[in-house]
Amino acid sequence: MSCKKDIESKITITGNSKELINNTIYLKEYNHFNYLNKSYILDSTMVDSLGDFQFSIKADSPELITISKYSLPPLSYQVFKETPNIYYYSFCANFFANEPCLYIDTKKNYSITHWDTKNQDSSIIFNNENQNLLRNYYRTIDYRGLVTDENRQPLNIAATEAWDIILEEKEKRIKDYNLKNTSPINSFENYLITEISLGAVNDFLIWTNLQENKDIDPEFYNSILEIYNSEEWSKNSVEYYKLTERYITHQLNLAKDKNKNYYEPTNEKLEFAKKYAKANIKDKYLQNLQEILKQHP
């Protein structure tokens, strides 16, 4: 039984993990644009003697959630808070594959039929096709591996060729997963399209960072960054957060004639964020900047 009782709860998440019998587990929200939030634990419960557990949450709870045996903040929160300067490089897709991660966009219940910690394809199995699809994506995606050698060093190819290789993989994923760009903004489909599409952009930009020869056509580089403004992206996406940071950094670079990968929070960065952050995440992004500036004026 869940530790928090709420008669208004509408969604039930059940599961089984023989490894975690008699352990407390935690249901957490993922909201990357609000990574300073200390109230990320939505609920906690004890795994019973058979390995069964259950959570109940309101239907208007955060769409993206994870279940963990640890009460620490989600891993992406820890990276963005402790080492924000490597935001663009540090994210590992397995943050979302090593533990149950669900995107809830309907009023239905969810079940995790199997969960172990062996980090294999079969270690987490949902009774829901979308959730299994999401885990498959995080388990298998590796855009960077397509344009780097066995040592993860960038292939000696033109930037346009590298982008075409990544773009082909991006489009294949969207087709294979039967995703439609017309999906509602808060839907599972839009979330996964955002992760796939902006993940491609972010990994291409990492490839450009790794290039010893920085002579990449500025107009082409700008066109890739402007993908940020091309669609209504899911506010839950970690790739959206990364590209927001990238885009604001790019605008600061243009204004200052510099080539930095990160700018510490300042009043100047705050003003650029007000101008360039997209509407559906602007308030949260500004709130984080303002909180950091209060802590470190």
Side-chain angles (χ1 to χ4, degrees), residues 3-4 45 76 84 100 161 166 233 249 270 283:
C3 294
K4 296 181 180 179
T45 193
S76 65
E161 182 180 353
I166 290 174
W233 305 113
T249 296
L270 187 66
D283 287 348

Side-chain angles (χ1 to χ4, degrees), residues 109-264:
N109 297 323
Y110 295 85
S111 176
I112 303 163
T113 57
H114 175 79
W115 173 19
D116 66 52
T117 58
K118 297 175 183 176
N119 196 23
Q120 298 175 350
D121 290 346
S122 60
S123 289
I124 301 172
I125 301 173
F126 301 94
N127 74 333
N128 180 281
E129 182 179 356
N130 282 349
Q131 311 309 323
N132 288 323
L133 195 69
L134 185 63
R135 186 166 187 270
N136 172 266
Y137 172 72
Y138 288 128
R139 287 281 297 175
T140 60
I141 192 60
D142 184 18
Y143 289 121
R144 214 175 309 170
L146 299 173
V147 290
T148 56
D149 61 22
E150 62 274 11
N151 297 316
R152 305 292 280 185
Q153 294 303 304
L155 296 177
N156 186 24
I157 56 179
T160 51
E161 182 180 353
W163 174 244
D164 285 344
I165 292 170
I166 290 174
L167 186 61
E168 181 180 2
E169 176 66 16
K170 182 212 85 169
E171 292 175 346
K172 181 180 184 300
R173 290 278 179 161
I174 290 175
K175 181 179 179 181
D176 288 350
Y177 293 159
N178 196 28
L179 301 172
K180 308 297 183 185
N181 284 322
T182 55
S183 301
I185 189 169
N186 291 326
S187 66
F188 167 84
E189 288 79 7
N190 182 258
Y191 170 74
L192 188 48
I193 286 173
T194 300
E195 287 285 88
I196 293 171
S197 300
L198 301 191
V201 172
N202 285 322
D203 268 12
F204 171 75
L205 295 174
I206 289 173
W207 180 86
T208 66
N209 286 131
L210 294 172
Q211 287 289 87
E212 292 182 4
N213 180 4
K214 298 292 185 180
D215 188 20
I216 297 173
D217 178 46
E219 186 174 343
F220 174 68
Y221 187 83
N222 289 343
S223 72
I224 300 299
L225 275 163
E226 282 302 324
I227 292 173
Y228 178 71
N229 292 312
S230 66
E231 302 285 347
E232 292 300 316
W233 305 113
S234 171
K235 61 182 173 56
N236 296 287
S237 167
V238 69
E239 301 292 352
Y240 189 21
Y241 174 85
K242 288 163 58 181
L243 193 56
T244 296
E245 190 70 43
R246 276 271 197 184
Y247 192 76
I248 293 167
T249 296
H250 178 63
Q251 297 302 329
L252 282 160
N253 280 337
L254 291 176
K256 295 171 172 290
D257 193 25
K258 292 185 177 180
N259 187 32
K260 297 179 67 172
N261 291 319
Y262 176 70
Y263 286 89
E264 296 284 346

